[in-house]
Amino acid sequence: MAKSVVDAAGEAGVCVVGGGVIGLTSAIVLAENGYRVRLLTRDAAGETTSAVAGALCWPYRIQPYDDAVRWSLRSFEVLAGLAERPAETGARMVAGTMVEVAAEPGADGLGAWYDAVPGMRPARPDELPEGYGSGRRARTPLVDMPTHLRYLERRLAAAGGVVERRVVTSLGEAGRGAGTVVNCSGLGARELVPDPQVYPVQGQLVIVENPGIDTWLATADSAAAETAYVLPQPFGVVLGGTARENAWSREPDPAVAEAIVARCARFFPALARARVLAHRVGLRPARPAVRLATERLPDGTRCVHNYGHGGAGVTVAWGCADEVLRLVREEFGTAQEPGPPASRP
């Protein structure tokens, strides 16, 4: 009898480090394809950076562009499927406008994304805010992250994955007894690998009561420290934001919050009078380029790194998870056909 994937992986299977959206999706894809998966995380999913993400499916501050677009399109496909059950999964399909501020068309490197997203088209002048000359209109996944993270936890458990809450002090320690370690530690990779190329991009946002907004709007400037986006969610409207590199504070700045509301109110004036429900700050785990590759740890354990996604973690999560599965299969030398599609319940 041929060995199963779990047998090939060893009795301990695969250990995934990191309980945010990148770690959860990687663990799910592995577990649903026959691997015994144990996920180690310091924080509950609702306490990770993923929980405060704006969660618009759109490549943002992520390199390399070619890979990012490919990963994003796979995630688009999965999230669009999950959007058929929004109350359960937190994913919805919402129309909106990405206002372009690039110096010239195509300067953002996302031409392949624009060409591939179903229904993507140039925005008409009446769909653009005053003072802006171009943009893209599309119906894209927009994810309610608290609901989505709970869904991912349930899905991992249903696939047989086990979550263990504890601090991981080294990848070698985490992988002791495991056939493979998948490192989805995000900002923690700075110390855990260690990788000094990992740095935080601080994102502050404000959540307000929804005055009747049912479309999203964002400005596409990946180089700016201050951005503007308006994302209607079931729990309110998420207003952003900031993108401050190497800023480590997680405390909301009242002056910054006031400026965020003012920027967004230029697009939707009713936001200026909306009641503030909450303030949030998250540290996006950035890197000059995503590290999605394998290496051998000093003790011989195989490690698949999957970190450095910056502000695009939700957008690329499922595409990167498929890549993790491919790399793990290569290590075990299995020729098993892919399991059920990742968009299944």
Side-chain angles (χ1 to χ4, degrees), residues 136-232:
R136 301 277 174 167
R137 184 81 173 172
R139 190 167 178 262
T140 61
L142 181 59
V143 185
D144 166 5
M145 287 308 293
T147 298
H148 188 60
L149 291 169
R150 290 192 295 270
Y151 162 75
L152 294 179
E153 289 177 317
R154 293 194 304 271
R155 182 164 164 178
L156 176 59
V162 175
V163 177
E164 183 178 337
R165 291 279 303 278
R166 67 180 176 88
V167 175
V168 174
T169 57
S170 75
L171 293 175
E173 177 266 336
R176 193 165 294 130
T180 293
V181 174
V182 179
N183 173 27
C184 304
S185 57
L187 194 58
R190 182 179 175 90
E191 303 298 333
L192 194 60
V193 174
D195 185 348
Q197 293 191 81
V198 178
Y199 62 94
V201 176
Q202 183 201 64
Q204 181 169 335
L205 54 84
V206 182
I207 301 172
V208 303
E209 285 187 339
N210 193 335
I213 297 168
D214 59 5
T215 62
W216 60 263
L217 185 142
T219 56
D221 187 350
S222 61
E226 296 181 344
T227 61
Y229 51 84
V230 179
L231 308 175

Side-chain angles (χ1 to χ4, degrees), residues 29 94 110 135 157 190-191 254 258-259 264 327 335 338:
V29 169
V94 181
L110 299 179
R190 182 179 175 90
E191 303 298 333
E258 184 177 351
C264 294
L327 292 172

Side-chain angles (χ1 to χ4, degrees), residues 38-335:
R38 181 169 55 108
L39 186 147
L40 304 182
T41 178
R42 181 190 64 187
D43 303 314
E47 299 168 359
T48 63
T49 296
S50 298
V52 298
L56 174 69
C57 185
W58 199 285
Y60 173 71
R61 286 181 178 258
I62 184 170
Q63 294 277 6
Y65 280 131
D66 289 347
D67 288 334
V69 168
R70 177 168 51 85
W71 299 329
S72 299
L73 291 172
R74 172 57 178 152
S75 293
F76 187 106
E77 176 187 20
V78 173
L79 292 171
L82 296 179
E84 296 176 2
R85 309 187 308 280
E88 175 192 353
T89 68
R92 296 170 296 129
M93 297 299 290
V94 181
T97 303
M98 182 64 69
V99 179
E100 294 175 336
V101 295
E104 58 186 45
D108 58 8
L110 299 179
W113 167 257
Y114 299 147
D115 292 341
V117 170
M120 178 84 73
R121 61 173 175 78
R124 300 189 307 266
D126 64 300
E127 294 171 327
L128 293 167
E130 185 178 353
Y132 291 89
S134 63
R136 301 277 174 167
R137 184 81 173 172
R139 190 167 178 262
T140 61
L142 181 59
V143 185
D144 166 5
M145 287 308 293
T147 298
H148 188 60
L149 291 169
R150 290 192 295 270
Y151 162 75
L152 294 179
E153 289 177 317
R154 293 194 304 271
R155 182 164 164 178
L156 176 59
V162 175
V163 177
E164 183 178 337
R165 291 279 303 278
R166 67 180 176 88
V167 175
V168 174
T169 57
S170 75
L171 293 175
E173 177 266 336
R176 193 165 294 130
T180 293
V181 174
V182 179
N183 173 27
C184 304
S185 57
L187 194 58
R190 182 179 175 90
E191 303 298 333
L192 194 60
V193 174
D195 185 348
Q197 293 191 81
V198 178
Y199 62 94
V201 176
Q202 183 201 64
Q204 181 169 335
L205 54 84
V206 182
I207 301 172
V208 303
E209 285 187 339
N210 193 335
I213 297 168
D214 59 5
T215 62
W216 60 263
L217 185 142
T219 56
D221 187 350
S222 61
E226 296 181 344
T227 61
Y229 51 84
V230 179
L231 308 175
Q233 295 282 13
F235 52 82
V237 184
V238 176
L239 309 182
T242 63
R244 296 181 174 176
E245 297 185 357
N246 294 299
W248 287 88
S249 174
R250 297 177 186 267
E251 290 297 318
D253 183 323
V256 171
E258 184 177 351
I260 288 171
V261 173
R263 285 199 299 275
C264 294
R266 289 200 292 269
F267 301 134
F268 297 95
L271 292 171
R273 302 180 299 276
R275 184 167 70 95
V276 174
L277 301 177
H279 298 273
R280 297 285 186 269
V281 176
L283 303 182
R284 305 178 183 102
R287 196 173 184 273
V290 172
R291 188 179 186 191
L292 188 42
T294 61
E295 72 168 345
R296 290 280 183 176
L297 299 177
D299 66 357
T301 300
R302 182 77 163 197
C303 180
V304 178
H305 293 291
N306 182 19
Y307 66 88
H309 307 85
V314 175
T315 301
V316 301
W318 291 102
C320 289
D322 283 352
E323 187 75 2
V324 166
L325 175 64
R326 182 186 67 80
L327 292 172
V328 170
R329 279 178 170 158
E330 285 183 356
E331 163 62 6
F332 298 145
T334 64

